[in-house]
Amino acid sequence: AYPSAKGCTERGTQGREGVEMGREIPILMSGPLVCATLEGAKLEYARAYPAKTQTRRPIKRENKPDPGCEWAECLCREIDPSDTPCVTCEARFPGVAAAGDRLWVRETWRIDNNLSRDRYPQVVYRADEGFMVARNAPAGVRLGAPNPKGDIWTPSIHMPRWACRLRLPLVKVRIERVQSISEADAWAEGYGEHWQKRVKEAGADGPLGRPDARGWFAMLWDKLYGTWGQNPWVAVYEWGQIEVVK
């Protein structure tokens, strides 16, 4: 759920042209939100609804800058009346991804029993039944032996890096209260056609009879974490052009 440095590549690795690259950090994502994110790979006129370009994740207690320290009690001991973390505190906040890092998405998946033309296994994704030729799969998987569990979906938490098809290059990271989310940001969280239908079915329409994106996000947050009313600090991750392997 929360992007952490565990299982990520080290910051400072060199790319093909000698340019320093950020870390790759795993993140869990549900099927509908994967579909909303994949809209970003389409041309704008071909999108069914605005693409998902943000995600908010709770900040774990152990990742606070100092035990017992609240943002209003800055590390520099200065009281911030705007209730916003100062630059010093934010910079020293461990475990939070930064601009330049990439999130690699863990989603529900399975191995297809059929090999690709070049004899590699194919990974199928439940979100949209899309597939990817897993050229980086371990040798044992690459053999392509029939998988008796080929029609059984594997939970996203068990997706290895080689089975990932979707990477999100981060362009901006910030810290804020979860209830600070705007209507526009709620749309950027993946409030697409699927979720509008779900909100209507739940009878949670806005005052004008239309689904409220911010209200939807509050419902989703409470379903996942149950802390909307507590208004916790969260890390907001924004990405640019997504990377999809096929």
Side-chain angles (χ1 to χ4, degrees):
Y2 173 79
S4 68
K6 183 179 181 180
C8 71
T9 59
E10 292 295 329
R11 180 185 297 280
T13 56
Q14 299 295 315
R16 293 180 180 178
E17 300 179 358
V19 178
E20 187 173 285
M21 301 172 63
R23 299 169 297 174
E24 288 198 346
I25 303 172
I27 185 172
L28 299 178
M29 195 174 286
S30 66
L33 295 182
V34 168
C35 289
T37 303
L38 289 171
E39 288 291 309
K42 302 177 182 178
L43 295 175
E44 191 166 351
Y45 71 84
R47 296 174 185 173
Y49 43 79
K52 176 177 173 65
T53 58
Q54 294 182 12
T55 189
R56 283 162 174 74
R57 301 298 161 113
I59 293 175
K60 293 183 177 180
R61 185 183 301 274
E62 60 268 26
N63 286 332
K64 283 191 174 182
D66 195 24
C69 174
E70 298 295 336
W71 286 121
E73 302 168 356
C74 244
L75 285 179
C76 56
R77 305 296 181 185
E78 294 180 2
I79 302 299
D80 187 349
S82 65
D83 196 31
T84 302
C86 74
V87 176
T88 303
C89 288
E90 196 166 37
R92 292 178 61 183
F93 201 103
V96 176
D101 292 340
R102 283 178 170 84
L103 304 180
W104 64 271
V105 177
R106 281 177 161 164
E107 54 180 303
T108 304
W109 65 293
R110 65 179 173 84
I111 296 289
D112 188 42
N113 287 336
N114 299 316
L115 294 176
S116 65
R117 292 180 179 178
D118 47 5
R119 306 296 295 172
Y120 287 102
Q122 298 184 110
V123 180
V124 184
Y125 304 95
R126 190 173 188 177
D128 62 347
E129 293 291 337
F131 69 92
M132 177 194 73
V133 178
R135 292 184 173 86
N136 294 323
V141 177
R142 190 176 295 136
L143 295 176
N147 182 0
K149 296 183 179 181
D151 58 346
I152 298 178
W153 296 104
T154 303
S156 56
I157 189 67
H158 298 303
M159 170 177 277
R161 176 64 183 87
W162 60 261
C164 167
R165 61 168 170 171
L166 182 56
R167 293 193 304 179
L168 314 174
L170 296 180
V171 296
K172 186 177 181 181
V173 178
R174 66 180 185 273
I175 307 296
E176 67 181 25
R177 296 282 188 181
V178 68
Q179 291 184 18
S180 297
I181 186 171
S182 66
E183 189 78 4
D185 283 343
W187 276 96
E189 278 277 358
Y191 183 61
E193 190 173 278
H194 170 85
W195 292 107
Q196 291 186 58
K197 182 179 179 182
R198 291 280 296 273
V199 172
K200 286 181 179 178
E201 291 173 350
D205 287 358
L208 301 180
R210 299 175 302 181
D212 184 299
R214 193 171 179 277
W216 157 78
F217 183 78
M219 292 169 55
L220 177 65
W221 187 269
D222 264 341
K223 181 179 179 181
L224 294 174
Y225 307 110
T227 59
W228 176 262
Q230 300 172 29
N231 198 22
W233 287 104
V234 296
V236 183
Y237 303 98
E238 298 184 31
W239 51 85
Q241 183 63 44
I242 64 175
E243 301 171 359
V244 184
V245 182
K246 297 181 179 180

